[in-house]
Amino acid sequence: MHRGEIQNDIVTWKALDNVVFLELLARQFPGCGNIVTFSQFLFIAVEGFIFEANFGRKRPAIPIRNYFIMVAMFFTVSVVNNYALNLNIAMPLHMIFRSGSLIASMALGIIILKKRYSVSKYTSIALVSLGIFTCTLMSAKQVASDSSLNQEDGPQAFLWWMLGIAALTFALLMSARMGIFQETLYQKFGKHSKEALFYNHALPLPGFLLLAPNIYQHAVLFNQSELFQVPVIGLTLPIMWFYLLMNVITQYVCIRGVFILTTECTSLTVTLVVTLRKFVSLIFSILYFQNPFTGWHWLGTAFVFVGTLMYTEVWNSLGPFLARCRRRRRPKEE
C-alpha cells in the first residue's frame, strides 16, 4: 500500500477519535475550550522544540517577525473556534460552519490577490454557502424552540447563539486571511511546513496567561471528575484528563498526518481527505451523541460536501480514472 494511502486512513480515523474526545469534554464542561486549546498548543510546541528547532539551536528559515503576524492570526482563530462551543453552538453545526473555509478563501482571494475563478468554482461556492445557510437557519429555529420552554432564559440563549455564529464567521474569515498570508510567505521564502507548525504553536503560549484563570478553573473541575483506569497500563486518573490527553494526541497525529500527505500526495488528495474527515466526524457526532439533525440539516450537509467536491474538481479526475480502469479490464475480458 502506498504511504499516502496509509496516511489517508490515519488522518481520517484519528480525526474521528479527536472529535469524539472533544465532544465528550464539551458535553461535560461546555466552557473547557481554553484548556483544550492550551494543551494542544503546549504538546505540539514541546515536540517541535525538541525535533524541529533542535532545542533552539536551529535558526528559522522564515524571519521570526513574519511568524509573529501569522501566530497572532492562528492563536485568535484557534481560541475563537473552541470558545464558540461555549456559546450554544452544537458540534455538528460547528463542523459544518468550519467547512465553509472555501467560501472565505475565495472571497478574500478575489479581494486581496485579485484572483479570478471559473464558473464551476463560483457554483461550488454557492452550494457551500447555501448548505451552511440552511443548517444555520434550521439550528436557529431549534435554539428558539428549545429556549421557548424557558421564557426567562430564552432570549438570552438565542443571543448567545447569535454571538457564537458571529464568532465562527470571524474565525472563518481570519483563517482564510492567514492562509493567504502563508501563501505569500511560502512563495517568498519556500515551504517550511514543519517549522511553521512549531512556531504557530510555540509563540502563542504566553498569550494563554490572559486565559489562566479559566484554564485553572477547568483544571480543578477535571481533577474532580470520576476516576478512570486506563486499559493495558492500569493507570488511574480523572476521566476528563484521560479525554483531554486522547484529544491532544489525536490532534497531534492529525496535524502530522496532513503534513505528510502534503509531501506524499497531490493537493486534491489532501483536500478530499480533509473533506472526508469532516464528513465522517459529522456523521459520527450525530449518530453516537444523538445530536438533533433534521432532513433540512442533511440537505444542507449534502450541499456543503458536494460543493466542496466540485471546488476540488474531483469530477474531472473521475473521467480519466474510469477510462484507465476500462482499459485495464478489456484485455482480461478478451
Side-chain angles (χ1 to χ4, degrees):
M1 183 179 286
H2 191 270
R3 188 183 180 191
E5 293 174 351
I6 296 173
Q7 285 300 321
N8 288 357
D9 296 337
I10 291 174
V11 171
T12 302
W13 292 112
K14 286 302 176 184
L16 178 58
D17 295 339
N18 180 258
V19 77
V20 168
F21 289 114
L22 178 59
E23 185 148 2
L24 286 169
L25 288 163
R27 279 177 169 254
Q28 190 70 27
F29 298 107
C32 69
N34 291 331
I35 193 172
V36 172
T37 308
F38 171 69
S39 302
Q40 292 172 353
F41 273 55
L42 181 63
F43 184 88
I44 295 172
V46 170
E47 187 274 341
F49 182 72
I50 297 171
F51 297 104
E52 173 60 26
N54 193 16
F55 295 94
R57 291 193 290 267
K58 181 181 176 182
R59 293 176 61 85
I62 299 176
I64 199 72
R65 64 178 179 276
N66 292 309
Y67 278 122
F68 275 109
I69 298 172
M70 193 187 303
V71 158
M73 297 179 183
F74 185 68
F75 178 77
T76 303
V77 169
S78 298
V79 171
V80 171
N81 268 327
N82 279 339
Y83 193 77
L85 293 171
N86 305 356
L87 303 173
N88 243 358
I89 299 295
M91 186 63 73
L93 179 60
H94 192 275
M95 286 186 285
I96 292 167
F97 212 94
R98 292 177 67 179
S99 298
S101 55
L102 289 174
I103 311 168
S105 296
M106 176 177 276
L108 293 186
I110 294 171
I111 296 170
I112 298 174
L113 301 179
K114 309 300 181 185
K115 288 185 176 181
R116 292 295 177 265
Y117 300 94
S118 63
V119 175
S120 65
K121 297 285 188 187
Y122 289 116
T123 305
S124 67
I125 293 304
L127 280 173
V128 173
S129 304
L130 181 61
I132 291 178
F133 175 78
T134 302
C135 290
T136 305
L137 183 63
M138 292 303 107
S139 295
K141 289 183 177 180
Q142 285 180 352
V143 171
S145 175
D146 294 342
S147 300
S148 65
L149 299 177
N150 189 333
Q151 293 184 354
E152 293 181 2
D153 297 337
Q156 185 179 3
F158 190 76
L159 208 60
W160 282 117
W161 181 85
M162 290 292 292
L163 188 60
I165 293 296
L168 287 176
T169 304
F170 171 79
L172 201 63
L173 293 172
M174 180 64 76
S175 178
R177 182 63 185 91
M178 182 180 70
I180 291 175
F181 184 71
Q182 284 178 317
E183 184 179 335
T184 56
L185 282 184
Y186 290 156
Q187 287 174 351
K188 187 175 181 180
F189 299 102
K191 293 185 177 182
H192 303 279
S193 300
K194 290 181 69 176
E195 179 184 288
L197 180 65
F198 164 63
Y199 283 104
N200 277 340
H201 288 82
L203 293 179
L205 287 177
F208 284 101
L209 290 172
L210 300 173
L211 308 172
N214 181 267
I215 293 172
Y216 176 76
Q217 176 192 359
H218 282 87
V220 172
L221 292 172
F222 281 17
N223 285 334
Q224 295 171 355
S225 62
E226 63 179 295
L227 294 178
F228 173 77
Q229 187 174 28
V230 182
V232 183
I233 62 175
L235 177 67
T236 301
L237 74 165
I239 194 168
M240 298 306 292
W241 285 114
F242 173 73
Y243 291 157
L244 180 63
L245 175 64
M246 295 306 296
N247 175 266
V248 168
I249 292 173
T250 50
Q251 174 71 7
Y252 169 75
V253 173
C254 285
I255 290 178
R256 293 286 295 179
V258 169
F259 167 74
I260 295 173
L261 278 178
T262 60
T263 61
E264 294 286 332
C265 307
T266 64
S267 59
L268 174 63
T269 303
V270 176
T271 306
L272 287 177
V273 171
V274 172
T275 302
L276 176 63
R277 183 196 73 184
K278 291 176 182 178
F279 185 73
V280 172
S281 299
L282 174 65
I283 300 302
F284 189 88
S285 174
I286 295 162
L287 299 178
Y288 184 78
F289 292 103
Q290 298 182 339
N291 284 307
F293 218 71
T294 66
W296 286 104
H297 285 93
W298 282 112
L299 181 63
T301 303
F303 282 147
V304 169
F305 287 101
V306 169
T308 302
L309 293 176
M310 282 185 64
Y311 185 89
T312 58
E313 298 180 348
V314 66
W315 317 119
N316 296 340
S317 303
L318 283 176
F321 174 76
L322 293 174
R324 286 196 299 270
C325 290
R326 289 194 209 98
R327 285 196 295 269
R328 289 174 184 172
R329 289 177 182 175
R330 280 173 186 169
K332 295 180 181 180
E333 293 173 356
E334 293 173 358

